[in-house]
Every structure is written in C-alpha cells, then in structure tokens.
Amino acid sequence: MSHRCGVRQAQKEKTRRALLDAALRLLEDQSLSSLGLREVTRAVGVAPAAFYRHFRDLSDLGVALVEESLGSLHHMIGAILAGQDGDAERIDATVAAVADHVRRYPAHIRFIARERHGGVRAVREAIAAELDRFADEVATDFCPRLSAEDWPPEDVRMLAELYVDHMVMTATAFLEAQAEHPGAAGASGASGAADVEGAAGAAGAEDELRVAATARKQLLLISLGRHHWRDG
C-alpha cells in the first residue's frame, strides 16, 4: 500500500512540475492573463480536468511560479550580504549572483519582469509580497551595521527596498542583454552556425560585462550614500 502511495505521489509531483515547466515555456511570448488553461494541459498531454488536481486556476499556478522564481534568489542574496565583509566584496558577489541566476533561470526572470505589473492581481500581489519579504531580510542584515541613532527603522527599510529594487532592475538588464544576442537559431551549416554563435556569444558577454559594470557603480553610489546619510 505504501509503495503504491509513493508511486502515485511521485507521479503527481511529476505532472505538477510538467505543468509549471509548460506554462513557463508558453509565457515566453505572452502574458499570464492571455494564457489558456487548455494550452498548458495540451502541452503536457493531460486532460484539462487533471490541472485542477494541482492548481485551483492559472492564477494559482502563477503564484507557484512567483515563489519558485524569487525564493531561491533572495535566500542566495541574503547569504551573500551576511557572509561577505566590505562593501566592494558584497557588491561584486551580489552582481555575480544575479547574473548567474539570470543565466540559469531566464524564463523565471522574464515571467517576474512581465507579471510584476501585469493583469493578474493574485500574481502581482504575490510578487509584491515576495519582494517585501526580501526587503525585510535585507533590512535585518543591515541593522547591525548601521547606527541606531542615524538610522531609524523606516530609513533602514527604505535602504533595503532600494537594494531590492536595484537587484530586480539589474536582473532585467541582464535578461535584456541575453535577449539581444540569442545565438544562431536559423543559421545554415554547422560551420556557419558555430561562427554566428561565437560572434553572438562574444557580443552577449560584452553586454553582460557592461550591465555588470553599471550595476556595480550604481550599488557603490547607494553604498556611499549609506555611509554619508545624515551628514548634512
């Protein structure tokens, strides 16, 4: 009995994962508000009724994608903020982590960038809640580093929100840099494809370096402002 339950649970998790992955693929070229439930189930190869064993509706699926997209990123950034000494090291590690996350999960970042101000209220609210939680964690990390006399809680929170907004903006910039050089998907001939892919890769790497350099300068400006807060 327990073996059969385990098999059923594994199959259920496999189908749920397939629905999430299919939705992400379909959302590369459209918003969640325009996506049809049958499009998702058709892509997975299950009946529409099977969808409701995993999600109440497409909004519920979208909220699950939000949690998946942002959860791992803010835990990773929190570890960097807590573990690095010195502003320069923290900035370098943060920018590198965001760039790596975008390279590994471009569809997730694209989904967040599009749906943050999209037409599905539950998903907008879920994104806002995740970013608020992210800001709470950053603020908690900042508190021991800041003078309580100069930094009341509302100012610490404002600083944390500034960092979080900057990370989202930087992730979007990295994503756009990737999109400008998608590779050689229509090139003919193996040699020609390799040449085009190489050129696209070099251009993409150059754009990523430009985005990273800009992000570091912006974070450095924020850091300088933090050190001189209340000087006037």
Side-chain angles (χ1 to χ4, degrees), residues 167-200:
M167 280 182 248
V168 174
M169 180 184 71
T170 299
T172 303
F174 277 123
L175 185 67
E176 290 172 351
Q178 287 183 7
E180 288 174 6
H181 306 284
S188 58
S191 175
D195 290 344
V196 175
E197 284 182 359

Side-chain angles (χ1 to χ4, degrees), residues 74-96:
H74 69 72
H75 288 311
M76 178 174 58
I77 296 299
I80 289 170
L81 293 174
Q84 295 289 335
D85 292 324
D87 287 346
E89 291 81 3
R90 209 171 286 120
I91 287 170
D92 286 347
T94 298
V95 173

Side-chain angles (χ1 to χ4, degrees), residues 17-161:
R17 179 72 261 162
L19 289 166
L20 289 168
D21 290 343
L24 268 180
R25 289 193 301 272
L26 292 166
L27 288 168
E28 289 189 13
D29 301 311
Q30 62 182 310
S31 66
L32 184 62
S33 60
S34 66
L35 182 64
L37 186 151
R38 289 179 180 274
E39 287 181 78
V40 179
T41 56
R42 185 164 51 246
V44 176
V46 297
F51 179 92
Y52 297 105
R53 299 191 192 111
H54 305 276
F55 305 102
R56 292 188 301 274
D57 51 28
L58 281 174
S59 296
D60 193 34
L61 180 146
V63 170
L65 285 175
V66 170
E67 294 168 354
E68 183 174 273
S69 300
L70 291 175
S72 60
L73 178 62
H74 69 72
H75 288 311
M76 178 174 58
I77 296 299
I80 289 170
L81 293 174
Q84 295 289 335
D85 292 324
D87 287 346
E89 291 81 3
R90 209 171 286 120
I91 287 170
D92 286 347
T94 298
V95 173
V98 172
D100 180 65
H101 196 75
V102 173
R103 280 193 294 268
R104 293 170 63 192
Y105 307 108
H108 289 83
I109 301 302
R110 187 179 300 109
F111 169 74
I112 294 298
R114 179 179 288 137
E115 300 300 330
R116 188 181 183 186
H117 305 291
V120 180
R121 180 177 178 179
V123 172
R124 289 198 312 271
E125 291 176 347
I127 293 172
E130 282 288 332
L131 294 179
D132 279 348
R133 190 157 65 92
F134 198 172
D136 286 341
E137 293 171 0
V138 173
T140 298
D141 176 77
F142 282 162
C143 278
R145 310 170 195 266
L146 302 171
S147 162
E149 181 179 346
D150 293 333
W151 285 93
E154 62 270 21
D155 288 3
V156 176
R157 173 68 188 201
M158 178 180 65
L159 178 64
E161 288 173 353

